[in-house]
Amino acid sequence: MTHWKRYLSSALALLLALALTACGGEAGDLEVELTVFAAASMQETLTEIGEKYMADHADVRLTFNFDSSGTLKTQIEEGAVCDAFISAGQKQMDQLEELEAVLPGTRFDLLENKVALAVPEGNPARINSYDDLKSALEAGTVLLAMGNSDVPVGQYTQRIFDCWGLDETALAESGCLTYGSNVKEVTTQVSEGAVDCGIIYGTDAFSAGLTVVDTATEEMCGQVIYPAAVLQSSAHPDEAGAFLDYIRSPDGAAVLAGVGFTPLG
């Protein structure tokens, strides 16, 4: 009987050890999947930062969704799976906070961008400043590409019109304006020479190799601040927060600064 008890005890100990080993292997191999929604203007930089992060964090897999901040906000409101959100404007993040979709204590200002006046190669319309653009719009002699009204870069453009006392509806009816559903679409119109100029972000102009002839002042359209936050619905809030912290770390900030963003760290 004693030998039988010893046998059972040894067998149970072996099974327990095997079970713990198996569980440990599964835990070690478990990959955390994070979905990050971010403004289209961050596509190049955030993709690069994400690749660096995953190289150092083998247990994390990042998936990005880039689009206009207004479109992303709507997708989040409609229940899209998202762990963290980086907006190109405060308005969209404010609206999500009002809906209690943002995890309290996780929101911070990540970076600043500039509202740039960019022209196609050769600058055929000879638009060399915002003053030139204002005069040409008043004369009806220019075709300007801008973002839609639900796109932050379009909202900054509207503020410039308000600063100048110009009526956007009248400009559109006179054939002076064309629109894009996000800043990348506006940038493409300028790159292809389909318009005389476009109001985009300085970083998008840099990435596309476009010439920036002027930069809007804070008096013209305010500051362009990008807030970031973890969402209330995230299944991995700690990991999502850790990635956002990495973006504003020296390694992440170096990538942002390299294309013209100003990290607010």
Side-chain angles (χ1 to χ4, degrees):
M1 192 71 174
T2 302
H3 292 301
W4 182 245
K5 287 182 178 179
R6 287 177 181 172
Y7 172 77
L8 282 176
S9 178
S10 298
L12 287 171
L14 178 60
L15 287 172
L16 180 59
L18 289 172
L20 289 173
T21 301
C23 290
E26 289 176 5
D29 295 335
L30 186 62
E31 192 175 73
V32 173
E33 295 187 2
L34 297 177
T35 301
V36 180
F37 282 24
S41 51
M42 293 196 72
Q43 182 167 344
E44 293 84 3
T45 50
L46 203 55
T47 298
E48 181 178 346
I49 290 171
E51 289 172 352
K52 291 177 181 291
Y53 189 79
M54 287 187 288
D56 293 333
H57 300 78
D59 59 332
V60 176
R61 176 58 48 188
L62 293 165
T63 299
F64 295 109
N65 179 20
F66 298 105
D67 210 322
S68 76
S69 300
T71 297
L72 297 176
K73 177 192 72 75
T74 299
Q75 291 174 358
I76 292 169
E77 289 173 343
E78 294 175 348
V81 176
C82 178
D83 294 285
F85 177 44
I86 305 174
S87 172
Q90 301 283 13
K91 177 181 178 181
Q92 291 74 20
M93 192 69 79
D94 290 343
Q95 291 170 332
L96 289 178
E97 276 199 320
E98 290 173 5
L99 295 173
E100 299 184 351
V102 173
L103 189 65
T106 65
R107 177 177 176 172
F108 63 93
D109 289 339
L110 176 63
L111 54 86
E112 182 178 2
N113 209 340
K114 298 297 182 183
V115 177
L117 178 59
V119 296
E121 185 176 359
N123 190 10
R126 298 293 182 264
I127 301 295
N128 294 305
S129 67
Y130 272 112
D131 287 339
D132 285 349
L133 174 61
K134 179 177 182 293
S135 298
L137 286 171
E138 290 173 335
T141 58
V142 69
L143 179 58
L144 168 71
M146 62 176 284
N148 291 336
S149 60
D150 65 338
V151 179
V153 75
Q155 293 162 1
Y156 292 121
T157 305
Q158 290 176 326
R159 292 180 192 175
I160 292 173
F161 291 164
D162 289 341
C163 177
W164 288 342
L166 295 179
D167 184 337
E168 179 187 351
T169 301
L171 292 174
E173 290 175 350
S174 67
C176 287
L177 303 179
T178 181
Y179 293 87
S181 63
N182 58 50
V183 71
K184 293 300 182 187
E185 288 189 7
V186 180
T187 303
T188 297
Q189 292 181 51
V190 181
S191 296
E192 294 179 348
V195 293
D196 296 316
C197 54
I199 295 179
I200 58 178
Y201 296 123
T203 53
D204 289 286
F206 178 90
S207 297
L210 291 172
T211 298
V212 172
V213 295
D214 205 354
T215 301
T217 64
E218 186 175 340
E219 290 71 27
M220 291 168 66
C221 64
Q223 285 184 286
V224 184
I225 304 296
Y226 288 44
V230 177
L231 295 189
Q232 189 77 257
S233 61
S234 174
H236 306 286
D238 291 340
E239 291 85 351
F243 176 62
L244 292 182
D245 285 339
Y246 178 79
I247 299 174
R248 59 176 171 174
S249 72
D251 287 342
V255 176
L256 296 173
V259 300
F261 283 118
T262 300
L264 300 176

